[in-house]
Amino acid sequence: MKKRAVAIAVLAVFFLVAATFVGAKALYETKSVPKGERHTISEIVPSKAKWEKVVKGDGGFMEGINFDRKGNIWMVSPMSGELLTVKWDKVHQVKKYPGPVGAKFHKDGRLFITDITGVIHAYDPKTGKSETAVSTYKGQPFNGLNDLVFDKDGGLYFTEPMGSSAINPVGRVFYLPANSKEPVLFADKIAYPNGVALSADGNRVYVSEFGKNRVLSVPAKNAPPSPETPFVFGQYEGGIGPDGLAVDTEGNLYIAHFQAGQIVVQDKDGFKYGTIRLPEGAGTFTTNLAFHDGYLYITESSKNEVWRIKVLKKGLVPYGLQ
């Protein structure tokens, strides 16, 4: 029996090493160096595309834009404590919360909402009822929460930035497994973790490190064995830092650059296409973004406006619409 156990253990190690080797080869395989520029923003936005103002809110600080299965826009406002939707070309309050910041739909139709009070709410649009999905980690309350994203299994990544900064990098990212109320720590020691998104293949978690004006890439909780470790995926200049994130089907990452009034676009290897700048007269508080029907939608929170622009790529179908 002992010999059999040893043989099984050896085989397990062999397969693990083999899988890691294959992953390493795919990850670090040499690629041809391009002759000219790798990308231009014209690969993302048609040359004749123009920004269109979708709607303007009355106050607050609109962000956390989402679309439901019927194509309705949902947003939140932490300043005014509102869950919002758009009807008849106007922004309407749906429900009050202490400080809602981010929102994402679950497959079951509920809207999960992060709150600066350290709670994730689960709101049911059909009944109008809301319950607490999670509020503690190992029995201790969270600091204020910010953004969230579901993986393909229904697990939930969410960011906890409050109290952290460039000189106090104590922010954390958590993972809540599907059908669980017990989150696990995913990443820590981050300077204000803001937006969060998953790569197209689901193997990376992108985290906006707002306090250091950069985006981090971290291997996902359920990613296959690989030598890839957390690294800086994108470093930016100007503005303050990256906020909301979105990914298209080709794996390109779209970054709402707060206080810069623009969206930065990078390919799956981190190389930049360029930026999509909001039109003259728009505000610079670009907070969140979402794809819908061939357009990229943006929330600009200083003037409480939603803008959209035609794009050539299709966004990943979020978990809540699958």
Side-chain angles (χ1 to χ4, degrees):
M1 291 295 290
K2 287 185 178 180
K3 289 183 178 180
R4 184 182 178 186
V6 170
I8 292 172
V10 169
L11 280 173
V13 172
F14 171 78
F15 284 122
L16 179 59
V17 170
T20 302
F21 175 76
V22 171
K25 187 175 184 297
L27 183 65
Y28 298 116
E29 190 171 10
T30 300
K31 301 175 182 179
S32 298
V33 176
K35 293 181 179 179
E37 291 294 327
R38 283 186 168 86
H39 299 296
T40 66
I41 200 64
S42 62
E43 297 173 66
I44 302 295
V45 181
S47 58
K48 295 183 179 180
K50 294 184 179 180
W51 284 102
E52 305 170 19
K53 188 185 295 186
V54 178
V55 70
K56 181 177 177 63
D58 295 326
F61 193 90
M62 296 190 315
E63 57 177 324
I65 187 168
N66 275 267
F67 288 87
D68 64 19
R69 293 186 183 276
K70 295 181 180 179
N72 299 310
I73 294 175
W74 293 77
M75 298 177 289
V76 293
S77 171
M79 301 302 184
S80 58
E82 297 173 291
L83 171 61
L84 305 164
T85 192
V86 177
K87 292 182 179 179
W88 307 291
D89 298 324
K90 290 187 178 181
V91 179
H92 295 268
Q93 178 188 303
V94 176
K95 196 174 183 67
K96 293 286 286 185
Y97 287 103
V101 189
K104 288 291 188 301
F105 276 102
H106 190 281
K107 269 186 181 180
D108 63 15
R110 291 180 299 165
L111 186 62
F112 280 60
I113 303 164
T114 51
D115 201 291
I116 57 176
T117 59
V119 172
I120 295 181
H121 310 283
Y123 169 76
D124 189 340
K126 292 181 179 179
T127 64
K129 294 181 179 179
S130 186
E131 61 182 12
T132 298
V134 64
S135 60
T136 61
Y137 170 61
K138 292 185 176 180
Q140 297 298 312
F142 289 109
N143 295 320
L145 305 181
N146 190 288
D147 201 8
L148 67 170
V149 65
F150 286 102
D151 65 16
K152 63 181 179 61
D153 300 317
L156 186 65
Y157 293 93
F158 59 95
T159 59
E160 182 202 48
M162 301 307 176
S164 64
S165 68
I167 59 174
N168 187 38
V170 295
R172 300 182 291 182
V173 181
F174 291 89
Y175 181 71
L176 180 67
N179 303 314
S180 173
K181 284 187 173 290
E182 296 297 328
V184 295
L185 181 64
F186 175 71
D188 60 359
K189 301 179 182 178
I190 303 173
Y192 206 97
N194 199 328
V196 61
L198 285 162
S199 60
D201 61 9
N203 292 333
R204 288 176 174 174
V205 179
Y206 296 120
V207 180
S208 295
E209 191 171 22
F210 188 77
K212 293 189 176 179
N213 210 1
R214 65 188 187 180
V215 166
L216 305 176
S217 172
V218 185
K221 188 74 177 173
N222 301 318
S226 167
E228 184 167 296
T229 61
F231 67 96
V232 176
F233 184 81
Q235 182 72 60
Y236 316 106
E237 61 180 13
I240 296 180
D243 197 333
L245 304 172
V247 179
D248 68 27
T249 56
E250 296 178 13
N252 301 311
L253 182 65
Y254 298 68
I255 303 103
H257 197 181
F258 188 78
Q259 193 76 60
Q262 64 187 21
I263 306 302
V264 181
V265 187
Q266 294 175 250
D267 71 14
K268 62 183 180 180
D269 296 315
F271 295 108
K272 291 182 181 178
Y273 285 91
T275 59
I276 313 170
R277 191 172 300 171
L278 284 172
E280 184 178 355
T284 60
F285 284 20
T286 37
T287 50
N288 287 112
L289 59 173
F291 289 94
H292 182 68
D293 276 356
Y295 287 88
L296 182 66
Y297 284 72
I298 313 296
T299 48
E300 194 291 310
S301 299
S302 66
K303 295 188 176 183
N304 278 301
E305 295 172 341
V306 176
W307 293 83
R308 74 175 188 176
I309 193 167
K310 193 77 175 175
V311 288
L312 298 170
K313 310 295 183 182
K314 292 184 178 180
L316 282 180
V317 178
Y319 175 80
L321 300 183
Q322 292 174 5

